[in-house]
Each structure stands twice: as C-alpha cells, then as structure tokens.
Amino acid sequence: MTSNPHHALVAEYTDAVQHAKIEVVTGLLAEDAVFQSPFSLFDTPEHLRSAYIARAGAFSGLTLRGTVAGQGNQSVLLWTMRVGESPVEVAEVVTTAGERVSRVDVYLRPAAVLDEVFAAMSAAWPR
C-alpha cells in the first residue's frame, strides 16, 4: 500500500496522530492546510498546531479501525476513541497535495457526544 506517495504520506500522518506526535503531524501539513471539525475551520499554522494539541489532550484510547484508501489524493481514516467515559467514532478525510497533507475533514458520531467533545477540546486548547 505504501508504494503510492499518497498512501505513504497518509500512513505517516496516521501514525503521528495515533501517537500524538504533534511536531510530526504539523510538519506533514501543507503551508495552506486546513482542518475542518464539527466546531470550526482551522487554517493558520498556529491554529492547526493548537487543534492537534487539543485533540491529543481531549481524547483517549485512540484506535485506528480501518483506512479506506482512494485511488486519488484522498483517504478516510476510521477511528474509535473516548472523550471522558463516552465512546466516539470518527471518520477523518485526509486530502494530500504533493508531499503534504492539504486538508483534513473530521466527522464525529454519535451526535450526543458533540457537546462533551467541544468542552474537552476547549479545556485542552493550549493557552
């Protein structure tokens, strides 16, 4: 799977996210990368870094359940994790451009955890 440059980049990104390697994650992002969550669009290097720090602090038990690799420049990562005691399922669409991640779109379920996720992300946001 990693003979394709997109797949190799997504594999590196996945490992970095799963192990909270913030500097590695942000190093893989394009200069104009965007991160779209259910709560906000993060589109500056400072906000992107803060979003990944908050994500690492807000969730526990991050487990990759599968990857759907497209033929083009998009893949979908399927995660399970916890926020507090609540289970969360996440679909993360990762788009690449060249040798960088250019866009990440995150979808969460169940909807009942959105308030708890927002509170946890806010509490973990770097000050």
Side-chain angles (χ1 to χ4, degrees):
M1 179 197 252
T2 57
S3 62
N4 177 311
H6 165 78
H7 296 162
L9 179 56
V10 171
E12 186 176 2
Y13 171 85
T14 302
D15 179 74
V17 168
Q18 188 165 24
H19 296 101
K21 299 175 185 173
I22 305 305
E23 298 308 319
V24 174
V25 172
T26 56
L28 296 172
L29 300 176
E31 191 173 303
D32 59 349
V34 297
F35 180 98
Q36 178 70 60
S37 80
F39 312 110
S40 188
L41 175 71
F42 304 99
D43 61 357
T44 68
E46 179 184 342
H47 288 149
L48 288 163
R49 186 173 192 288
S50 294
Y52 281 99
I53 290 170
R55 178 182 181 169
F59 295 102
S60 63
L62 187 63
T63 304
L64 183 67
R65 295 295 182 191
T67 302
V68 180
Q71 293 180 350
N73 66 337
Q74 287 188 316
S75 290
V76 179
L77 308 176
L78 302 173
W79 302 95
T80 57
M81 58 194 73
R82 299 188 83 68
V83 60
E85 295 300 316
S86 301
V88 181
E89 295 178 329
V90 176
E92 182 172 359
V93 180
V94 179
T95 305
T96 61
E99 297 178 0
R100 295 283 179 250
V101 174
S102 60
R103 183 176 183 93
V104 176
D105 295 276
V106 176
Y107 304 89
L108 306 171
R109 72 176 189 183
V113 300
L114 289 177
D115 288 341
E116 191 173 358
V117 169
F118 182 77
M121 290 284 293
S122 296
W125 196 265
R127 312 259 180 298

